[in-house]
Amino acid sequence: MTSDPPVRLAVPDDADDIAAMSRELIEHGLPWSWRPARVRNAIRDPDTNVAVVRMDGALVAFGIMEYLEADAYLALLAVRETRQRTGIGRSLLRWLEGSAQVAGCTRIRVEARRDNVAARTFYNELGYHEVAVTRGRYSDGVDGTKLEKWLRAAPGP
């Protein structure tokens, strides 16, 4: 756990709040795939970190990062609208990046909706580079933008 903001690993009791926040902020208008049971499974998965920030007992931010062979994949990251642009998202992402480094990952990958300029700008400002566009990635036909950040030097040819 860290302070300012207090980032900690999620526990199964956090799953309902995380799922609801995902539905509201990330998956609205899309099929709801991060339901409470899936979030609980991620919390229990040894190859996944689910981190949360709670203030005054309320969930204000969360992130879900999966650890693969040499890459980490940031599956979800959300901050309540009333807490955006306060540094909470930046602190949470830095915490997750630190965990990925400790896990030995060389790169973090994430995908954002191409029409979500705020998210793409957020990631760009934190060193993520757009590497590809996936046409029609989302069920509503919106394109996806793949981003990545190298934590260690990229492997040579």
Side-chain angles (χ1 to χ4, degrees), residues 89-137:
R90 179 180 298 262
S91 293
L92 178 59
L93 185 55
R94 294 286 190 225
W95 189 95
L96 289 163
E97 289 174 348
S99 297
Q101 285 183 309
V102 169
C105 295
T106 57
R107 173 176 60 172
I108 297 174
R109 295 177 300 113
V110 63
E111 188 166 349
R113 290 173 61 99
R114 193 168 187 197
D115 62 359
N116 189 343
V117 176
R120 291 172 48 214
T121 300
F122 170 78
Y123 291 119
N124 289 157
E125 288 174 352
L126 293 173
Y128 289 76
H129 304 282
E130 297 182 8
V131 294
V133 172
T134 307
R135 301 275 181 220
R137 164 70 171 92

mmCIF file of all heavy atoms in Angstrom, residues 89-137:
data_model
loop_
_atom_site.group_PDB
_atom_site.id
_atom_site.type_symbol
_atom_site.label_atom_id
_atom_site.label_comp_id
_atom_site.label_asym_id
_atom_site.label_seq_id
_atom_site.Cartn_x
_atom_site.Cartn_y
_atom_site.Cartn_z
ATOM 1 N N GLY A 89 -4.964 8.965 -11.207
ATOM 2 C CA GLY A 89 -4.719 8.029 -12.308
ATOM 3 C C GLY A 89 -3.240 7.860 -12.578
ATOM 4 O O GLY A 89 -2.747 6.749 -12.781
ATOM 5 N N ARG A 90 -2.506 8.948 -12.543
ATOM 6 C CA ARG A 90 -1.058 8.913 -12.759
ATOM 7 C C ARG A 90 -0.381 8.075 -11.672
ATOM 8 O O ARG A 90 0.454 7.225 -11.959
ATOM 9 C CB ARG A 90 -0.525 10.352 -12.744
ATOM 10 C CG ARG A 90 0.961 10.469 -12.940
ATOM 11 C CD ARG A 90 1.379 11.935 -12.905
ATOM 12 N NE ARG A 90 0.744 12.688 -13.979
ATOM 13 C CZ ARG A 90 1.325 12.979 -15.143
ATOM 14 N NH1 ARG A 90 2.552 12.594 -15.368
ATOM 15 N NH2 ARG A 90 0.681 13.649 -16.062
ATOM 16 N N SER A 91 -0.754 8.303 -10.415
ATOM 17 C CA SER A 91 -0.167 7.537 -9.305
ATOM 18 C C SER A 91 -0.509 6.060 -9.409
ATOM 19 O O SER A 91 0.347 5.196 -9.191
ATOM 20 C CB SER A 91 -0.650 8.090 -7.970
ATOM 21 O OG SER A 91 -0.151 9.377 -7.758
ATOM 22 N N LEU A 92 -1.734 5.758 -9.748
ATOM 23 C CA LEU A 92 -2.161 4.365 -9.889
ATOM 24 C C LEU A 92 -1.399 3.684 -11.017
ATOM 25 O O LEU A 92 -0.890 2.563 -10.858
ATOM 26 C CB LEU A 92 -3.671 4.311 -10.131
ATOM 27 C CG LEU A 92 -4.298 2.941 -10.357
ATOM 28 C CD1 LEU A 92 -4.057 2.017 -9.175
ATOM 29 C CD2 LEU A 92 -5.793 3.097 -10.627
ATOM 30 N N LEU A 93 -1.275 4.358 -12.151
ATOM 31 C CA LEU A 93 -0.547 3.763 -13.269
ATOM 32 C C LEU A 93 0.925 3.579 -12.924
ATOM 33 O O LEU A 93 1.516 2.547 -13.243
ATOM 34 C CB LEU A 93 -0.709 4.615 -14.533
ATOM 35 C CG LEU A 93 -0.080 4.026 -15.787
ATOM 36 C CD1 LEU A 93 -0.591 2.614 -16.084
ATOM 37 C CD2 LEU A 93 -0.332 4.951 -16.971
ATOM 38 N N ARG A 94 1.534 4.538 -12.252
ATOM 39 C CA ARG A 94 2.942 4.400 -11.840
ATOM 40 C C ARG A 94 3.113 3.202 -10.905
ATOM 41 O O ARG A 94 4.102 2.476 -10.985
ATOM 42 C CB ARG A 94 3.446 5.674 -11.160
ATOM 43 C CG ARG A 94 3.526 6.865 -12.074
ATOM 44 C CD ARG A 94 4.707 6.737 -13.010
ATOM 45 N NE ARG A 94 4.925 7.986 -13.716
ATOM 46 C CZ ARG A 94 5.172 8.070 -15.006
ATOM 47 N NH1 ARG A 94 5.241 6.985 -15.739
ATOM 48 N NH2 ARG A 94 5.371 9.235 -15.578
ATOM 49 N N TRP A 95 2.165 2.996 -9.998
ATOM 50 C CA TRP A 95 2.192 1.854 -9.086
ATOM 51 C C TRP A 95 2.153 0.553 -9.886
ATOM 52 O O TRP A 95 2.936 -0.373 -9.632
ATOM 53 C CB TRP A 95 1.018 1.947 -8.115
ATOM 54 C CG TRP A 95 1.034 0.973 -6.982
ATOM 55 C CD1 TRP A 95 1.513 1.188 -5.726
ATOM 56 C CD2 TRP A 95 0.526 -0.372 -6.989
ATOM 57 N NE1 TRP A 95 1.336 0.062 -4.954
ATOM 58 C CE2 TRP A 95 0.734 -0.917 -5.707
ATOM 59 C CE3 TRP A 95 -0.082 -1.169 -7.958
ATOM 60 C CZ2 TRP A 95 0.354 -2.211 -5.368
ATOM 61 C CZ3 TRP A 95 -0.455 -2.465 -7.622
ATOM 62 C CH2 TRP A 95 -0.232 -2.971 -6.333
ATOM 63 N N LEU A 96 1.246 0.477 -10.865
ATOM 64 C CA LEU A 96 1.137 -0.716 -11.697
ATOM 65 C C LEU A 96 2.395 -0.917 -12.549
ATOM 66 O O LEU A 96 2.860 -2.043 -12.721
ATOM 67 C CB LEU A 96 -0.115 -0.641 -12.579
ATOM 68 C CG LEU A 96 -1.433 -0.803 -11.840
ATOM 69 C CD1 LEU A 96 -2.599 -0.315 -12.693
ATOM 70 C CD2 LEU A 96 -1.648 -2.244 -11.391
ATOM 71 N N GLU A 97 2.963 0.164 -13.065
ATOM 72 C CA GLU A 97 4.205 0.058 -13.832
ATOM 73 C C GLU A 97 5.342 -0.467 -12.963
ATOM 74 O O GLU A 97 6.135 -1.304 -13.410
ATOM 75 C CB GLU A 97 4.587 1.427 -14.408
ATOM 76 C CG GLU A 97 3.693 1.900 -15.518
ATOM 77 C CD GLU A 97 3.988 3.317 -15.970
ATOM 78 O OE1 GLU A 97 4.747 4.042 -15.281
ATOM 79 O OE2 GLU A 97 3.451 3.707 -17.023
ATOM 80 N N GLY A 98 5.414 0.008 -11.728
ATOM 81 C CA GLY A 98 6.437 -0.493 -10.810
ATOM 82 C C GLY A 98 6.286 -1.978 -10.554
ATOM 83 O O GLY A 98 7.274 -2.721 -10.507
ATOM 84 N N SER A 99 5.056 -2.434 -10.414
ATOM 85 C CA SER A 99 4.792 -3.859 -10.229
ATOM 86 C C SER A 99 5.224 -4.654 -11.453
ATOM 87 O O SER A 99 5.782 -5.748 -11.331
ATOM 88 C CB SER A 99 3.307 -4.094 -9.948
ATOM 89 O OG SER A 99 2.928 -3.475 -8.748
ATOM 90 N N ALA A 100 4.976 -4.103 -12.632
ATOM 91 C CA ALA A 100 5.380 -4.782 -13.870
ATOM 92 C C ALA A 100 6.902 -4.892 -13.952
ATOM 93 O O ALA A 100 7.425 -5.932 -14.364
ATOM 94 C CB ALA A 100 4.827 -4.039 -15.083
ATOM 95 N N GLN A 101 7.610 -3.858 -13.530
ATOM 96 C CA GLN A 101 9.070 -3.910 -13.533
ATOM 97 C C GLN A 101 9.576 -4.979 -12.574
ATOM 98 O O GLN A 101 10.472 -5.751 -12.909
ATOM 99 C CB GLN A 101 9.651 -2.552 -13.169
ATOM 100 C CG GLN A 101 9.551 -1.556 -14.297
ATOM 101 C CD GLN A 101 10.188 -0.231 -13.948
ATOM 102 O OE1 GLN A 101 9.903 0.349 -12.913
ATOM 103 N NE2 GLN A 101 11.047 0.243 -14.824
ATOM 104 N N VAL A 102 8.994 -5.031 -11.387
ATOM 105 C CA VAL A 102 9.392 -6.043 -10.400
ATOM 106 C C VAL A 102 9.117 -7.442 -10.943
ATOM 107 O O VAL A 102 9.885 -8.373 -10.698
ATOM 108 C CB VAL A 102 8.665 -5.802 -9.049
ATOM 109 C CG1 VAL A 102 8.849 -6.985 -8.110
ATOM 110 C CG2 VAL A 102 9.158 -4.517 -8.396
ATOM 111 N N ALA A 103 8.036 -7.591 -11.702
ATOM 112 C CA ALA A 103 7.684 -8.892 -12.281
ATOM 113 C C ALA A 103 8.602 -9.259 -13.452
ATOM 114 O O ALA A 103 8.500 -10.361 -13.999
ATOM 115 C CB ALA A 103 6.229 -8.891 -12.738
ATOM 116 N N GLY A 104 9.496 -8.350 -13.849
ATOM 117 C CA GLY A 104 10.426 -8.636 -14.929
ATOM 118 C C GLY A 104 9.915 -8.302 -16.317
ATOM 119 O O GLY A 104 10.532 -8.695 -17.321
ATOM 120 N N CYS A 105 8.833 -7.587 -16.409
ATOM 121 C CA CYS A 105 8.279 -7.233 -17.720
ATOM 122 C C CYS A 105 9.146 -6.180 -18.402
ATOM 123 O O CYS A 105 9.734 -5.326 -17.747
ATOM 124 C CB CYS A 105 6.859 -6.688 -17.569
ATOM 125 S SG CYS A 105 5.697 -7.922 -16.946
ATOM 126 N N THR A 106 9.226 -6.273 -19.717
ATOM 127 C CA THR A 106 9.983 -5.299 -20.481
ATOM 128 C C THR A 106 9.097 -4.258 -21.139
ATOM 129 O O THR A 106 9.567 -3.193 -21.522
ATOM 130 C CB THR A 106 10.828 -5.985 -21.577
ATOM 131 O OG1 THR A 106 9.955 -6.738 -22.411
ATOM 132 C CG2 THR A 106 11.871 -6.891 -20.965
ATOM 133 N N ARG A 107 7.794 -4.572 -21.263
ATOM 134 C CA ARG A 107 6.895 -3.668 -21.971
ATOM 135 C C ARG A 107 5.497 -3.767 -21.371
ATOM 136 O O ARG A 107 5.079 -4.826 -20.915
ATOM 137 C CB ARG A 107 6.856 -4.060 -23.446
ATOM 138 C CG ARG A 107 5.848 -3.307 -24.273
ATOM 139 C CD ARG A 107 5.918 -3.679 -25.734
ATOM 140 N NE ARG A 107 5.660 -5.098 -25.943
ATOM 141 C CZ ARG A 107 5.506 -5.666 -27.130
ATOM 142 N NH1 ARG A 107 5.613 -4.950 -28.228
ATOM 143 N NH2 ARG A 107 5.270 -6.952 -27.235
ATOM 144 N N ILE A 108 4.778 -2.646 -21.419
ATOM 145 C CA ILE A 108 3.357 -2.621 -21.036
ATOM 146 C C ILE A 108 2.566 -2.247 -22.278
ATOM 147 O O ILE A 108 2.907 -1.304 -22.992
ATOM 148 C CB ILE A 108 3.088 -1.606 -19.914
ATOM 149 C CG1 ILE A 108 3.835 -2.015 -18.652
ATOM 150 C CG2 ILE A 108 1.579 -1.504 -19.639
ATOM 151 C CD1 ILE A 108 3.743 -1.002 -17.524
ATOM 152 N N ARG A 109 1.523 -3.001 -22.518
ATOM 153 C CA ARG A 109 0.624 -2.728 -23.636
ATOM 154 C C ARG A 109 -0.736 -2.328 -23.085
ATOM 155 O O ARG A 109 -1.146 -2.803 -22.031
ATOM 156 C CB ARG A 109 0.486 -3.957 -24.532
ATOM 157 C CG ARG A 109 1.774 -4.350 -25.216
ATOM 158 C CD ARG A 109 1.659 -5.609 -26.062
ATOM 159 N NE ARG A 109 1.268 -6.763 -25.260
ATOM 160 C CZ ARG A 109 0.098 -7.408 -25.361
ATOM 161 N NH1 ARG A 109 -0.807 -7.024 -26.217
ATOM 162 N NH2 ARG A 109 -0.166 -8.445 -24.596
ATOM 163 N N VAL A 110 -1.434 -1.468 -23.799
ATOM 164 C CA VAL A 110 -2.777 -1.046 -23.432
ATOM 165 C C VAL A 110 -3.496 -0.656 -24.712
ATOM 166 O O VAL A 110 -2.861 -0.346 -25.725
ATOM 167 C CB VAL A 110 -2.743 0.147 -22.424
ATOM 168 C CG1 VAL A 110 -2.093 1.373 -23.021
ATOM 169 C CG2 VAL A 110 -4.130 0.462 -21.885
ATOM 170 N N GLU A 111 -4.808 -0.717 -24.677
ATOM 171 C CA GLU A 111 -5.593 -0.294 -25.825
ATOM 172 C C GLU A 111 -6.647 0.690 -25.355
ATOM 173 O O GLU A 111 -7.234 0.529 -24.287
ATOM 174 C CB GLU A 111 -6.252 -1.490 -26.512
ATOM 175 C CG GLU A 111 -6.911 -1.115 -27.813
ATOM 176 C CD GLU A 111 -7.265 -2.323 -28.673
ATOM 177 O OE1 GLU A 111 -6.816 -3.430 -28.370
ATOM 178 O OE2 GLU A 111 -8.000 -2.123 -29.651
ATOM 179 N N ALA A 112 -6.872 1.714 -26.164
ATOM 180 C CA ALA A 112 -7.898 2.712 -25.858
ATOM 181 C C ALA A 112 -8.770 2.907 -27.099
ATOM 182 O O ALA A 112 -8.304 2.695 -28.232
ATOM 183 C CB ALA A 112 -7.256 4.041 -25.473
ATOM 184 N N ARG A 113 -9.989 3.315 -26.866
ATOM 185 C CA ARG A 113 -10.850 3.663 -27.989
ATOM 186 C C ARG A 113 -10.206 4.832 -28.733
ATOM 187 O O ARG A 113 -9.705 5.759 -28.121
ATOM 188 C CB ARG A 113 -12.233 4.057 -27.490
ATOM 189 C CG ARG A 113 -13.032 2.888 -26.926
ATOM 190 C CD ARG A 113 -14.315 3.377 -26.286
ATOM 191 N NE ARG A 113 -15.185 4.041 -27.223
ATOM 192 C CZ ARG A 113 -16.239 3.475 -27.826
ATOM 193 N NH1 ARG A 113 -16.553 2.225 -27.557
ATOM 194 N NH2 ARG A 113 -16.983 4.163 -28.666
ATOM 195 N N ARG A 114 -10.228 4.753 -30.033
ATOM 196 C CA ARG A 114 -9.605 5.816 -30.831
ATOM 197 C C ARG A 114 -10.290 7.163 -30.600
ATOM 198 O O ARG A 114 -9.647 8.206 -30.672
ATOM 199 C CB ARG A 114 -9.647 5.444 -32.307
ATOM 200 C CG ARG A 114 -8.762 6.313 -33.158
ATOM 201 C CD ARG A 114 -8.614 5.747 -34.535
ATOM 202 N NE ARG A 114 -7.632 6.514 -35.287
ATOM 203 C CZ ARG A 114 -7.537 6.453 -36.589
ATOM 204 N NH1 ARG A 114 -8.330 5.660 -37.286
ATOM 205 N NH2 ARG A 114 -6.636 7.172 -37.207
ATOM 206 N N ASP A 115 -11.582 7.136 -30.292
ATOM 207 C CA ASP A 115 -12.306 8.386 -30.059
ATOM 208 C C ASP A 115 -12.160 8.903 -28.622
ATOM 209 O O ASP A 115 -12.683 9.959 -28.286
ATOM 210 C CB ASP A 115 -13.785 8.247 -30.428
ATOM 211 C CG ASP A 115 -14.545 7.214 -29.602
ATOM 212 O OD1 ASP A 115 -13.945 6.553 -28.719
ATOM 213 O OD2 ASP A 115 -15.760 7.054 -29.846
ATOM 214 N N ASN A 116 -11.419 8.187 -27.774
ATOM 215 C CA ASN A 116 -11.196 8.617 -26.390
ATOM 216 C C ASN A 116 -9.882 9.413 -26.330
ATOM 217 O O ASN A 116 -8.846 8.912 -25.908
ATOM 218 C CB ASN A 116 -11.168 7.422 -25.441
ATOM 219 C CG ASN A 116 -11.166 7.831 -23.984
ATOM 220 O OD1 ASN A 116 -10.870 8.975 -23.647
ATOM 221 N ND2 ASN A 116 -11.490 6.882 -23.121
ATOM 222 N N VAL A 117 -9.973 10.646 -26.764
ATOM 223 C CA VAL A 117 -8.786 11.499 -26.845
ATOM 224 C C VAL A 117 -8.173 11.726 -25.470
ATOM 225 O O VAL A 117 -6.946 11.748 -25.317
ATOM 226 C CB VAL A 117 -9.130 12.834 -27.537
ATOM 227 C CG1 VAL A 117 -7.937 13.775 -27.541
ATOM 228 C CG2 VAL A 117 -9.616 12.576 -28.956
ATOM 229 N N ALA A 118 -9.007 11.870 -24.442
ATOM 230 C CA ALA A 118 -8.484 12.104 -23.092
ATOM 231 C C ALA A 118 -7.613 10.936 -22.630
ATOM 232 O O ALA A 118 -6.526 11.143 -22.084
ATOM 233 C CB ALA A 118 -9.626 12.345 -22.113
ATOM 234 N N ALA A 119 -8.066 9.705 -22.850
ATOM 235 C CA ALA A 119 -7.286 8.528 -22.434
ATOM 236 C C ALA A 119 -5.994 8.435 -23.241
ATOM 237 O O ALA A 119 -4.919 8.201 -22.677
ATOM 238 C CB ALA A 119 -8.104 7.254 -22.602
ATOM 239 N N ARG A 120 -6.082 8.637 -24.532
ATOM 240 C CA ARG A 120 -4.880 8.545 -25.367
ATOM 241 C C ARG A 120 -3.872 9.615 -24.977
ATOM 242 O O ARG A 120 -2.668 9.347 -24.917
ATOM 243 C CB ARG A 120 -5.257 8.638 -26.843
ATOM 244 C CG ARG A 120 -6.028 7.396 -27.293
ATOM 245 C CD ARG A 120 -6.593 7.497 -28.689
ATOM 246 N NE ARG A 120 -5.616 7.970 -29.641
ATOM 247 C CZ ARG A 120 -5.939 8.754 -30.682
ATOM 248 N NH1 ARG A 120 -7.186 9.140 -30.881
ATOM 249 N NH2 ARG A 120 -5.004 9.136 -31.517
ATOM 250 N N THR A 121 -4.333 10.815 -24.676
ATOM 251 C CA THR A 121 -3.446 11.890 -24.242
ATOM 252 C C THR A 121 -2.795 11.544 -22.909
ATOM 253 O O THR A 121 -1.591 11.745 -22.711
ATOM 254 C CB THR A 121 -4.220 13.217 -24.140
ATOM 255 O OG1 THR A 121 -4.747 13.535 -25.430
ATOM 256 C CG2 THR A 121 -3.334 14.349 -23.645
ATOM 257 N N PHE A 122 -3.595 11.015 -21.972
ATOM 258 C CA PHE A 122 -3.093 10.595 -20.664
ATOM 259 C C PHE A 122 -1.936 9.608 -20.837
ATOM 260 O O PHE A 122 -0.854 9.797 -20.277
ATOM 261 C CB PHE A 122 -4.241 9.969 -19.856
ATOM 262 C CG PHE A 122 -3.826 9.282 -18.597
ATOM 263 C CD1 PHE A 122 -3.530 10.005 -17.448
ATOM 264 C CD2 PHE A 122 -3.762 7.892 -18.527
ATOM 265 C CE1 PHE A 122 -3.159 9.370 -16.268
ATOM 266 C CE2 PHE A 122 -3.401 7.252 -17.358
ATOM 267 C CZ PHE A 122 -3.100 7.992 -16.235
ATOM 268 N N TYR A 123 -2.151 8.565 -21.636
ATOM 269 C CA TYR A 123 -1.105 7.567 -21.839
ATOM 270 C C TYR A 123 0.102 8.173 -22.561
ATOM 271 O O TYR A 123 1.251 7.893 -22.203
ATOM 272 C CB TYR A 123 -1.642 6.354 -22.590
ATOM 273 C CG TYR A 123 -2.602 5.534 -21.773
ATOM 274 C CD1 TYR A 123 -3.925 5.355 -22.180
ATOM 275 C CD2 TYR A 123 -2.208 4.951 -20.577
ATOM 276 C CE1 TYR A 123 -4.809 4.606 -21.421
ATOM 277 C CE2 TYR A 123 -3.086 4.205 -19.808
ATOM 278 C CZ TYR A 123 -4.387 4.043 -20.237
ATOM 279 O OH TYR A 123 -5.262 3.311 -19.480
ATOM 280 N N ASN A 124 -0.128 8.985 -23.579
ATOM 281 C CA ASN A 124 0.988 9.626 -24.301
ATOM 282 C C ASN A 124 1.838 10.456 -23.354
ATOM 283 O O ASN A 124 3.081 10.417 -23.419
ATOM 284 C CB ASN A 124 0.473 10.506 -25.437
ATOM 285 C CG ASN A 124 -0.115 9.745 -26.611
ATOM 286 O OD1 ASN A 124 -0.908 10.280 -27.369
ATOM 287 N ND2 ASN A 124 0.242 8.475 -26.773
ATOM 288 N N GLU A 125 1.208 11.214 -22.467
ATOM 289 C CA GLU A 125 1.945 12.055 -21.520
ATOM 290 C C GLU A 125 2.780 11.242 -20.544
ATOM 291 O O GLU A 125 3.754 11.749 -19.982
ATOM 292 C CB GLU A 125 0.979 12.959 -20.755
ATOM 293 C CG GLU A 125 0.396 14.073 -21.604
ATOM 294 C CD GLU A 125 -0.658 14.891 -20.897
ATOM 295 O OE1 GLU A 125 -1.075 14.520 -19.763
ATOM 296 O OE2 GLU A 125 -1.100 15.903 -21.476
ATOM 297 N N LEU A 126 2.418 9.977 -20.347
ATOM 298 C CA LEU A 126 3.144 9.113 -19.421
ATOM 299 C C LEU A 126 4.097 8.157 -20.141
ATOM 300 O O LEU A 126 4.547 7.170 -19.567
ATOM 301 C CB LEU A 126 2.160 8.346 -18.532
ATOM 302 C CG LEU A 126 1.394 9.262 -17.573
ATOM 303 C CD1 LEU A 126 0.312 8.501 -16.848
ATOM 304 C CD2 LEU A 126 2.344 9.896 -16.573
ATOM 305 N N GLY A 127 4.400 8.469 -21.403
ATOM 306 C CA GLY A 127 5.426 7.721 -22.112
ATOM 307 C C GLY A 127 4.944 6.563 -22.967
ATOM 308 O O GLY A 127 5.753 5.786 -23.466
ATOM 309 N N TYR A 128 3.642 6.437 -23.152
ATOM 310 C CA TYR A 128 3.097 5.379 -24.010
ATOM 311 C C TYR A 128 3.026 5.909 -25.442
ATOM 312 O O TYR A 128 2.685 7.069 -25.663
ATOM 313 C CB TYR A 128 1.705 4.954 -23.531
ATOM 314 C CG TYR A 128 1.760 4.183 -22.242
ATOM 315 C CD1 TYR A 128 1.973 4.834 -21.033
ATOM 316 C CD2 TYR A 128 1.619 2.803 -22.225
ATOM 317 C CE1 TYR A 128 2.045 4.139 -19.836
ATOM 318 C CE2 TYR A 128 1.687 2.092 -21.026
ATOM 319 C CZ TYR A 128 1.906 2.775 -19.847
ATOM 320 O OH TYR A 128 1.979 2.079 -18.664
ATOM 321 N N HIS A 129 3.345 5.035 -26.381
ATOM 322 C CA HIS A 129 3.370 5.422 -27.793
ATOM 323 C C HIS A 129 2.321 4.626 -28.546
ATOM 324 O O HIS A 129 2.178 3.416 -28.345
ATOM 325 C CB HIS A 129 4.757 5.169 -28.392
ATOM 326 C CG HIS A 129 5.833 5.874 -27.635
ATOM 327 N ND1 HIS A 129 6.072 7.217 -27.781
ATOM 328 C CD2 HIS A 129 6.703 5.434 -26.698
ATOM 329 C CE1 HIS A 129 7.052 7.578 -26.975
ATOM 330 N NE2 HIS A 129 7.449 6.507 -26.302
ATOM 331 N N GLU A 130 1.614 5.305 -29.423
ATOM 332 C CA GLU A 130 0.613 4.635 -30.251
ATOM 333 C C GLU A 130 1.327 3.862 -31.343
ATOM 334 O O GLU A 130 2.162 4.412 -32.053
ATOM 335 C CB GLU A 130 -0.356 5.665 -30.817
ATOM 336 C CG GLU A 130 -1.126 6.369 -29.702
ATOM 337 C CD GLU A 130 -2.159 7.372 -30.180
ATOM 338 O OE1 GLU A 130 -2.410 7.450 -31.402
ATOM 339 O OE2 GLU A 130 -2.723 8.062 -29.309
ATOM 340 N N VAL A 131 1.001 2.574 -31.442
ATOM 341 C CA VAL A 131 1.716 1.720 -32.388
ATOM 342 C C VAL A 131 0.824 1.126 -33.472
ATOM 343 O O VAL A 131 1.336 0.673 -34.500
ATOM 344 C CB VAL A 131 2.485 0.588 -31.654
ATOM 345 C CG1 VAL A 131 3.599 1.169 -30.796
ATOM 346 C CG2 VAL A 131 1.552 -0.269 -30.831
ATOM 347 N N ALA A 132 -0.487 1.108 -33.273
ATOM 348 C CA ALA A 132 -1.365 0.523 -34.281
ATOM 349 C C ALA A 132 -2.805 0.943 -34.028
ATOM 350 O O ALA A 132 -3.186 1.284 -32.898
ATOM 351 C CB ALA A 132 -1.270 -1.004 -34.260
ATOM 352 N N VAL A 133 -3.587 0.882 -35.084
ATOM 353 C CA VAL A 133 -5.023 1.112 -34.997
ATOM 354 C C VAL A 133 -5.704 -0.184 -35.397
ATOM 355 O O VAL A 133 -5.341 -0.807 -36.394
ATOM 356 C CB VAL A 133 -5.471 2.264 -35.931
ATOM 357 C CG1 VAL A 133 -6.980 2.366 -35.982
ATOM 358 C CG2 VAL A 133 -4.849 3.585 -35.480
ATOM 359 N N THR A 134 -6.671 -0.602 -34.582
ATOM 360 C CA THR A 134 -7.454 -1.799 -34.884
ATOM 361 C C THR A 134 -8.823 -1.338 -35.352
ATOM 362 O O THR A 134 -9.619 -0.819 -34.563
ATOM 363 C CB THR A 134 -7.589 -2.689 -33.632
ATOM 364 O OG1 THR A 134 -6.289 -2.949 -33.097
ATOM 365 C CG2 THR A 134 -8.278 -3.997 -33.968
ATOM 366 N N ARG A 135 -9.092 -1.496 -36.635
ATOM 367 C CA ARG A 135 -10.353 -1.030 -37.218
ATOM 368 C C ARG A 135 -11.531 -1.816 -36.650
ATOM 369 O O ARG A 135 -11.488 -3.049 -36.562
ATOM 370 C CB ARG A 135 -10.337 -1.194 -38.735
ATOM 371 C CG ARG A 135 -9.214 -0.428 -39.399
ATOM 372 C CD ARG A 135 -9.626 0.989 -39.657
ATOM 373 N NE ARG A 135 -8.523 1.683 -40.329
ATOM 374 C CZ ARG A 135 -8.183 2.910 -40.043
ATOM 375 N NH1 ARG A 135 -8.833 3.581 -39.131
ATOM 376 N NH2 ARG A 135 -7.191 3.478 -40.672
ATOM 377 N N GLY A 136 -12.581 -1.092 -36.231
ATOM 378 C CA GLY A 136 -13.810 -1.723 -35.756
ATOM 379 C C GLY A 136 -13.610 -2.592 -34.527
ATOM 380 O O GLY A 136 -14.343 -3.553 -34.324
ATOM 381 N N ARG A 137 -12.647 -2.275 -33.699
ATOM 382 C CA ARG A 137 -12.280 -3.104 -32.534
ATOM 383 C C ARG A 137 -13.425 -3.305 -31.555
ATOM 384 O O ARG A 137 -13.600 -4.370 -30.992
ATOM 385 C CB ARG A 137 -11.086 -2.448 -31.830
ATOM 386 C CG ARG A 137 -10.796 -2.937 -30.420
ATOM 387 C CD ARG A 137 -10.260 -4.352 -30.430
ATOM 388 N NE ARG A 137 -9.792 -4.737 -29.135
ATOM 389 C CZ ARG A 137 -10.536 -5.363 -28.215
ATOM 390 N NH1 ARG A 137 -11.781 -5.656 -28.456
ATOM 391 N NH2 ARG A 137 -10.010 -5.700 -27.062
#
